[in-house]
Amino acid sequence: MERFEHLYWWSRDNLRLHARDYAPPKERNAVVRPPILCLPGLTRNARDFDRLARHLSDFGWRVLALDLRGRGESSYARDPMSYVPLTYVQDVEALLEQLAVPSYVAIGTSLGGIVAMLLAGAAHEQLAGVVLNDVGPELEPAGLARIRGYVGRSSSWPTWVHAARALAEANAGVYPDYGLTDWIAMAKRLYRVSSSGRIVLDYDMKIAEPFRLPGNEAGPDMWRALDRLKGVPVAIVRGERSDILSADTATRMAAELAGAELVTVPRVGHAPTLDEPEAVAAIERLLARVAAGEDRVAAVA
């Protein structure tokens, strides 16, 4: 049974974009907390956040899990060079305008975290809290090279088990404790069934075109973008085995943002799925801070 409704909006260049809208049970028309926007990684989509979204909606939060342009149920871009962080920021801003919400919480995995940092630069006052999942202002060259090696390479498989085994072969070092059931679940988040019945990747292969050009994986001075998160509740989640966010960069981020919490998920690479106990607990603590701040504001008002 689906626990979400489909939400659609239009980008500034007239692409129909999609999000999953998880609302608290029996409260779909009476949500008072800021909504949570879940922003996925480069080749990922809204399905990545299903378990987390269900969990948070059970505790009174409205969660919007986005399909960035070119992924999932969002339209593919006419111009592949629009597959860059600054355009994703504009797409999110268009959604925020449609929702007309005064504030929101952003949970961003990898590319989604870059988008969250850039959103802070555009409208710092709207952010009630941020979770940066295995991403920071500096990205490790080895991890970027690994991602460039597979993004945009089309493949297909006859069954979900075949797709899962291919995932396991390529990512055993990222999730060393996964079994076949875990890999099948991940395959069903990453892939879709094509019109021919084959299992294929659920994104536009052309997202690779700008990403393969050095400098397009992030944006302008990202340390300056991070600086805009000062004063905002922040949780930094890092996979212990990450090849994208180094331990040194994560530590510096936490030092730059007074009050930010840094949590390391053991035995996981890039990126934590955010259903690990350590990650869930960190997100719950951050949301408790957000809720306490909202309560204080309401009391003063």
Side-chain angles (χ1 to χ4, degrees):
M1 179 180 175
E2 290 187 347
R3 283 276 305 277
F4 59 87
E5 293 182 358
H6 296 280
L7 185 155
Y8 296 92
W9 79 102
W10 293 91
S11 71
R12 295 175 185 175
D13 55 349
N14 294 315
L15 292 182
R16 189 173 187 246
L17 304 177
H18 170 265
R20 290 182 170 194
D21 186 353
Y22 299 79
K26 300 179 182 179
E27 295 179 22
R28 189 165 286 277
N29 297 317
V31 178
V32 295
R33 289 175 173 173
I36 299 170
L37 269 60
C38 292
L39 308 169
L42 178 67
T43 63
R44 314 302 286 258
N45 58 66
R47 296 192 296 276
D48 251 6
F49 297 99
D50 184 64
R51 289 183 63 180
L52 177 66
R54 290 168 183 259
H55 174 73
L56 297 180
S57 68
D58 284 341
F59 287 89
W61 295 89
R62 181 187 183 188
V63 181
L64 301 171
L66 278 60
D67 284 328
L68 298 178
R69 61 173 56 207
R71 286 84 163 172
E73 296 187 47
S74 285
S75 299
Y76 288 11
R78 301 172 187 86
D79 177 8
M81 296 311 293
S82 71
Y83 290 132
V84 292
L86 290 176
T87 305
Y88 303 135
V89 168
Q90 293 175 350
D91 292 345
V92 176
E93 289 173 337
L95 173 61
L96 294 172
E97 290 173 11
Q98 177 172 307
L99 295 175
V101 293
S103 64
Y104 64 96
V105 176
I107 298 178
T109 294
S110 195
L111 169 63
I114 291 170
V115 173
M117 286 186 277
L118 293 174
L119 284 165
H124 165 89
E125 66 281 355
Q126 283 187 281
L127 277 166
V130 176
V131 178
L132 298 175
N133 182 22
D134 215 60
V135 69
E138 294 180 15
L139 307 178
E140 294 301 296
L144 289 174
R146 177 180 60 82
I147 295 171
R148 288 194 179 100
Y150 69 74
V151 65
R153 297 186 182 277
S154 180
S155 301
S156 68
W157 298 270
T159 70
W160 287 111
V161 171
H162 285 85
R165 293 198 185 282
L167 265 180
E169 182 178 345
N171 296 280
V174 179
Y175 307 105
D177 298 328
Y178 270 23
L180 181 58
T181 300
D182 302 302
W183 291 116
I184 290 175
M186 177 170 282
K188 290 185 176 182
R189 296 195 297 271
L190 274 170
Y191 307 130
R192 61 178 173 83
V193 180
S194 71
S195 58
S196 66
R198 300 279 294 184
I199 310 300
V200 298
L201 288 161
D202 197 11
Y203 67 84
D204 182 359
M205 295 300 109
K206 292 181 179 179
I207 67 171
E209 293 185 18
F211 182 75
R212 286 177 177 153
L213 299 176
N216 278 341
E217 63 274 356
D221 184 353
M222 294 305 297
W223 282 108
R224 181 176 297 179
L226 184 80
D227 189 66
R228 293 288 291 165
L229 291 177
K230 288 181 177 177
V232 176
V234 174
I236 302 162
V237 178
R238 178 181 180 269
E240 181 183 38
R241 303 163 69 101
S242 177
D243 61 355
I244 285 290
L245 178 62
S246 72
D248 287 346
T249 297
T251 300
R252 180 182 167 187
M253 291 166 64
E256 293 279 341
L257 301 174
E261 180 182 10
L262 171 57
V263 173
T264 300
V265 179
R267 293 185 58 77
V268 168
H270 180 77
T273 58
L274 298 183
D275 55 13
E276 302 91 351
E278 298 85 359
V280 172
I283 292 169
E284 290 177 343
R285 287 191 294 271
L286 177 125
L287 293 176
R289 292 173 62 191
V290 172
E294 292 287 315
D295 291 344
R296 283 195 295 271
V297 170
V300 170

